[in-house]
Amino acid sequence: MKIRDSGMPDEPYWESLFDVPLILSRLGIDKFRDIAELGCGYGTFSVPVARAISGTLYTFDVEPEMVSRTKSRTAGLPVVCEQRDVFESGFGVKVDAILLFNILHCEKPVELLRHAANALQQGGEVLAIHWRYGDTPRGPVLEIRPRPEQIIDWADAAKLQAIGDVLELPPWHFGLRLSLL
Ligand SMILES: C[S@@+](CC[C@H](N)C(=O)[O-])C[C@H]1O[C@@H](n2cnc3c(N)ncnc32)[C@H](O)[C@@H]1O
């Protein structure tokens, strides 16, 4: 099932909305070996993540066009990019970190966080970023947009806990690091 409000604007516009190096640095991405990502979208994060880590990036999207775009951008990098409905089937891999970027406004966030927790190796982390609650140039409507405290509550129900403080990821995002309880 495609997650609600998860369609994408055009690629250059989408990629103008993030400071990707700052986000990945504040999340400490380069300390991980194998990572899984839902969904890859245009590969905005997949390309730099694959370059930063020492292992493999497994990245999934329900939309064939997104898989095709990300595959072409990550050719030659240690990336497995597949069409997969992660909501229906889970991640199907065990990794050191799971990326849930701009996706936790989904219909069943606790279920998605449980899939993520199940895919983590001991000591691994779920890394979530989302649009700040308020006026932003893009992002889901406020009625379904989670605040950091809401994600922390959902994480608890999925047997995950926040590590450290909520991360500021200007211009428009916040981030959370979650580990197994
Ligand atoms: C808002 S975009 C975010 C893409 C990427 N994470 C980023 O931040 O650039 C959400 C992506 O998730 C994909 N998606 C939606 N539902 C999905 C599902 N059930 N399984 C896998 N991918 C899904 C969409 O096709 C879309 O490419």
Side-chain angles (χ1 to χ4, degrees):
M1 176 195 62
K2 184 165 178 177
I3 286 163
R4 63 185 174 186
D5 215 344
S6 65
M8 298 284 269
D10 69 68
E11 184 177 326
Y13 177 61
W14 179 254
E15 300 204 336
S16 75
L17 298 169
F18 305 92
D19 184 339
V20 175
L22 175 138
I23 290 172
L24 297 182
S25 151
R26 291 201 177 161
L27 291 171
I29 209 80
D30 58 0
K31 73 170 184 269
F32 297 104
R33 188 177 152 71
D34 298 322
I35 292 189
E37 177 188 32
L38 177 173
C40 59
Y42 295 118
T44 306
F45 294 95
S46 320
V47 176
V49 167
R51 289 204 177 110
I53 61 177
S54 54
T56 300
L57 172 70
Y58 301 87
T59 186
F60 307 109
D61 206 289
V62 78
E63 290 287 353
E65 308 77 48
M66 295 296 163
V67 172
S68 157
R69 176 67 182 134
T70 298
K71 270 190 174 167
S72 75
R73 288 179 87 178
T74 56
L77 292 171
V79 173
V80 175
C81 179
E82 288 173 358
Q83 187 179 2
R84 184 180 182 93
D85 185 334
V86 174
F87 212 89
E88 289 298 317
S89 311
F91 286 88
V93 286
K94 282 277 187 190
V95 290
D96 306 300
I98 295 280
L99 309 186
L100 299 178
F101 286 7
N102 302 303
I103 205 73
L104 276 167
H105 55 280
C106 58
E107 290 84 344
K108 295 184 181 169
V110 174
E111 214 170 292
L112 182 54
L113 286 161
R114 284 196 183 116
H115 279 315
N118 287 337
L120 277 189
Q121 307 271 21
Q122 204 55 42
E125 295 180 18
V126 176
L127 306 174
I129 74 164
H130 215 294
W131 297 92
R132 286 193 334 235
Y133 195 88
D135 192 19
T136 54
R138 182 82 200 172
V141 292
L142 294 184
E143 287 72 26
I144 62 168
R145 195 185 298 199
R147 299 172 193 258
E149 315 83 67
Q150 177 69 81
I151 295 178
I152 291 168
D153 279 353
W154 290 333
D156 188 56
K159 299 196 171 9
L160 291 161
Q161 64 188 346
I163 311 170
D165 294 330
V166 177
L167 301 166
E168 293 290 327
L169 304 175
W172 304 116
H173 285 71
F174 67 87
L176 285 168
R177 296 170 51 217
L178 308 169
S179 64
L180 294 168
L181 274 176

